[in-house]
Amino acid sequence: MATVARQFAQTLKEIGVRYVFGVPSGNMIDYIKALREEENIDFILVGHETTAAFMAGAVGRLTGVPGVCFGTFGPGATNLSTGVGGAFLDRFPMIAFTDEMPENLLHRTVQMNIDHQQLFKPITKHTTRFNTENVREIILKAAGIAISEYPGPVHVGVPAGIGQTEIRETEVDVNYLQLKKDLSQKTPDESIQEAKMLFLKAEKPILAVGLSAVRADIKPLLLQLAERFHLPVVLTPMAKGMFAEKHLLYAGVLFHALSDKVALTYQQADLVIGIGYDPVEFNYEDWMPKVPLIHFDEKEADVDITQTGKVVNILGELKTSIPQFSNYKQIQNTWNLKNLQIRKNILFHALTPQPNHFGPLNIVTELRNTLPENGILTVDVGAHLHLIGQMWQTPSPEKLLITNGWSSMGFGIPAALAAKLCHPGLEVACVTGDGGFLMNAGELATAKRLNLKIVFIVIYDNSLSLIKIKQEKKNFATDYGTPLDMLSEEATNHYFGVPVIRIRNQKEYKNALQKAFIANGPTVIEAVADGDEYKKFVLKPNK
């Protein structure tokens, strides 16, 4: 005989879960005890439930195994929901557990009681609750749903008071690991032929690579396709790393810094070929010219056809459908590859720091010079993300963790904690603005308690810079609602025991990075920089 809590812990371990993130509740202590008794699975205490969910999402993103988090009744669940929404729109596999009232109290007026099923319904792929008869079945099914396309969160309610209930071990005819896609899936010949005709007629086709391509693991196939037909490649931000920035055919990242220069290439296209393009980052019609679209993915293109040309969907596994499409001789196109290279060089030259000036460009450039290539960078939301999204060079998408579907400030620090737990042997750094830092600064205590060696770079410009720039573009006052005024004259020497180094110039910053990366634990670098530098780079995308 086992208990509900023991079966809960054993089933999570069975599917490969390594960590459960959360803040304990009275109901959850039975489950925490069960987790402690299992090997190779741990409960990780965090300072806030939102952090628990962000960390679980990042773990799911990095490992492919659903990340797991927990929140208690009412406020615990609503706190958790911000990070659950992040997993939903950033496509991170997750199982989010919350306390729920027992059946007889679900619809009563009770302290902390709200309808968690309704709360999580719009921000999860599925929401349910288990009972003493179906714990293992519910968890296995939740894991299968979480990892299937598009990956995302599943919410499971945990009824109060059943953790120590003894139950019989039963066989369950569910194995989420068997929920693999059919790699032999064939795309209808009619769609393939229609797409080929559009491709053969095109003079300047371009590849637009998105988030789904990352999960499909088609980087070599993408390179082969681009090189075979000499196709320029643009990426969405979360697909950065799928195509090398130094490659002749690389054209840039959509909608990030200096996107007007990227537009100089894609505006010339007479055909767009979307490869795993997920509109959760940007809709096709927000940027592409009114030309035909060939869309490779497992789901049909979500596109306003009144603003685009003809749309042909080629559905199925990208590793199967792309070779089916491209199995013929090289075509001729009229792209001038020399001009493409010139535009890219102009783009990156504009992102080069200027001498005798210390701003965000310096911060990002020096960090790239210091962080090993296999190191992981996590980035919070803000004006700095627009710079990093365009200028950061990364060998693979797994080395650059951002949120661009949910786009929540406060993501960067929890993502760094998760990355270090998943890859303790790799260097991990986090870049956040001062606004995003304020949202999760308390989690430095978590980093200290777990002794996670992470370098946190906080760009201090005393403002919500991205919002300030948007105010200026509308000729609104910029001194209302955006100033932070949090930088005191006297530097803080630690946050929750984590050492802090304040710097104001390039030399100090370089020394601080070297010191931080040889430290034995977490370090915060407060980089006081000129936020006005962002104005030159954060632009409205050109269609």
Side-chain angles (χ1 to χ4, degrees):
M1 298 287 283
T3 64
V4 167
R6 192 66 185 268
Q7 191 171 76
F8 167 90
Q10 290 172 343
T11 307
L12 289 179
K13 179 182 175 181
E14 176 186 339
I15 64 177
V17 173
R18 180 67 182 84
Y19 302 105
V20 177
F21 305 99
V23 179
S25 70
N27 186 47
M28 189 62 181
I29 59 175
D30 294 335
Y31 301 87
I32 294 175
K33 177 177 181 293
L35 290 168
R36 185 177 186 179
E37 292 170 351
E38 292 291 328
E39 293 183 357
N40 299 318
I41 184 169
D42 291 304
F43 175 78
I44 302 294
L45 171 66
V46 297
H48 196 277
E49 291 90 351
T50 298
T51 295
F54 278 142
M55 290 182 71
V59 166
R61 165 71 180 83
L62 288 169
T63 66
V65 176
V68 177
C69 57
F70 169 82
T72 190
F73 304 101
T78 55
N79 287 344
L80 200 73
S81 67
T82 294
V84 173
F88 186 58
L89 292 188
D90 286 327
R91 317 307 194 194
F92 296 160
M94 172 197 287
I95 306 176
F97 294 95
T98 66
D99 285 331
E100 284 195 357
M101 295 295 167
E103 191 75 33
N104 65 315
L105 294 178
L106 270 179
H107 304 293
R108 297 283 306 278
T109 301
V110 183
Q111 182 194 36
M112 301 175 71
N113 184 31
I114 59 171
D115 190 335
H116 289 183
Q117 297 296 316
Q118 288 299 311
L119 170 67
F120 287 99
K121 185 176 181 180
I123 56 171
T124 57
K125 297 181 69 176
H126 180 63
T127 179
T128 184
R129 69 197 309 253
F130 62 58
N131 56 46
T132 57
E133 304 297 324
N134 63 3
V135 175
R136 188 164 180 270
E137 178 183 5
I138 289 293
I139 292 175
L140 291 176
K141 286 182 176 179
I145 294 169
I147 66 171
S148 63
E149 284 292 318
Y150 293 139
V154 174
H155 167 251
V156 179
V158 180
I162 66 171
Q164 290 300 313
T165 301
E166 292 189 342
I167 56 176
R168 293 184 179 275
E169 296 286 355
T170 56
E171 290 297 320
V172 177
D173 189 24
V174 177
N175 184 347
Y176 95 103
L177 295 176
Q178 294 175 353
L179 297 175
K180 295 181 179 178
K181 308 177 187 75
D182 181 3
L183 298 180
S184 64
Q185 182 178 0
K186 295 285 186 180
T187 299
D189 290 340
E190 184 178 341
S191 295
I192 290 287
Q193 292 306 315
E194 191 174 10
K196 284 184 176 181
M197 291 300 295
L198 288 174
F199 191 39
L200 290 172
K201 290 178 181 179
E203 295 185 354
K204 287 188 173 183
I206 191 169
L207 297 179
V209 182
L211 181 55
S212 297
V214 176
R215 294 189 299 275
D217 190 26
I218 59 163
K219 191 173 179 179
L221 187 60
L222 175 63
L223 178 64
Q224 182 183 32
L225 177 65
E227 290 185 339
R228 182 176 183 181
F229 299 111
H230 305 298
L231 305 176
V233 178
V234 293
L235 306 174
T236 63
M238 293 185 77
K240 191 165 176 62
M242 286 296 291
F243 202 81
E245 292 87 354
K246 294 181 179 179
H247 196 284
L248 177 65
L249 294 167
Y250 180 81
V253 172
L254 297 168
F255 282 65
H256 271 199
L258 300 177
S259 54
D260 57 332
K261 290 180 171 49
V262 181
L264 292 175
T265 296
Y266 67 68
Q267 285 175 338
Q268 299 180 40
D270 60 358
L271 173 69
V272 173
I273 303 173
I275 306 293
Y277 191 96
D278 189 336
V280 75
E281 290 195 77
F282 308 109
N283 294 112
Y284 276 121
E285 61 269 21
D286 286 344
W287 64 273
M288 63 176 278
K290 195 168 184 177
V291 300
L293 168 66
I294 300 173
H295 175 75
F296 286 86
D297 199 13
E298 294 192 27
K299 297 182 182 293
E300 289 190 356
D302 181 357
V303 60
D304 183 351
I305 59 174
T306 66
Q307 297 185 45
T308 62
K310 183 180 182 63
V311 178
V312 177
N313 290 289
I314 299 182
L315 305 181
E317 276 283 333
L318 296 181
K319 286 184 177 179
T320 302
S321 60
I322 291 176
Q324 289 174 1
F325 167 77
S326 59
N327 60 353
Y328 50 91
K329 294 181 180 180
Q330 179 177 342
I331 66 167
Q332 298 296 321
N333 65 52
T334 61
W335 283 112
N336 187 318
L337 299 186
K338 181 178 179 180
N339 288 343
L340 179 66
Q341 185 68 31
I342 290 172
R343 287 193 293 271
K344 184 177 72 172
N345 289 342
I346 291 172
L347 170 67
F348 283 113
H349 179 74
L351 293 167
T352 303
Q354 298 301 308
N356 303 318
H357 179 266
F358 187 68
L361 287 178
N362 303 76
I363 293 170
V364 176
T365 300
E366 194 60 48
L367 178 60
R368 179 65 287 181
N369 292 337
T370 307
L371 182 69
E373 188 177 45
N374 69 344
I376 299 174
L377 177 66
T378 72
V379 190
D380 211 278
V381 172
H384 58 280
L385 176 58
H386 286 248
L387 289 186
I388 292 172
Q390 196 66 265
M391 68 185 291
W392 189 263
Q393 298 195 16
T394 182
S396 70
E398 290 72 25
K399 304 302 183 183
L400 179 64
L401 297 186
I402 67 171
T403 170
N404 199 50
W406 190 242
S407 296
S408 174
M409 291 173 68
F411 167 84
I413 291 176
L417 301 180
K420 193 64 178 179
L421 286 172
C422 290
H423 297 287
L426 299 181
E427 298 287 3
V428 175
C430 168
V431 175
T432 177
D434 37 10
F437 178 71
L438 284 173
M439 291 193 173
N440 268 321
E443 298 303 341
L444 293 176
T446 304
K448 178 67 174 178
R449 174 165 35 85
L450 299 175
N451 195 33
L452 299 178
K453 182 176 176 281
I454 301 168
V455 180
F456 299 95
I457 297 101
V458 184
I459 301 178
Y460 270 85
D461 55 18
N462 257 348
S463 176
L464 300 178
S465 293
L466 186 59
I467 304 303
K468 183 178 177 180
I469 292 169
K470 292 180 179 182
Q471 287 175 330
E472 288 186 355
K473 289 184 181 296
K474 291 188 175 184
N475 295 318
F476 293 168
T478 60
D479 59 350
Y480 187 79
T482 56
L484 294 173
D485 295 328
M486 58 177 289
L487 196 65
S488 62
E489 289 300 320
E490 293 185 9
T492 305
N493 61 12
H494 75 90
Y495 292 119
F496 308 105
V498 176
V500 177
I501 308 171
R502 179 176 293 183
I503 59 93
R504 294 181 179 272
N505 58 55
Q506 185 74 16
K507 182 179 180 180
E508 291 177 350
Y509 179 52
K510 189 172 183 177
N511 291 337
L513 283 174
Q514 292 174 351
K515 183 176 180 180
F517 277 110
I518 64 173
N520 294 322
T523 303
V524 175
I525 298 175
E526 293 181 338
V528 183
D530 177 14
D532 286 342
E533 186 176 75
Y534 290 125
K535 297 177 186 177
K536 298 181 290 184
F537 305 108
V538 180
L539 305 169
K540 182 179 180 181
N542 290 332
K543 190 171 180 180

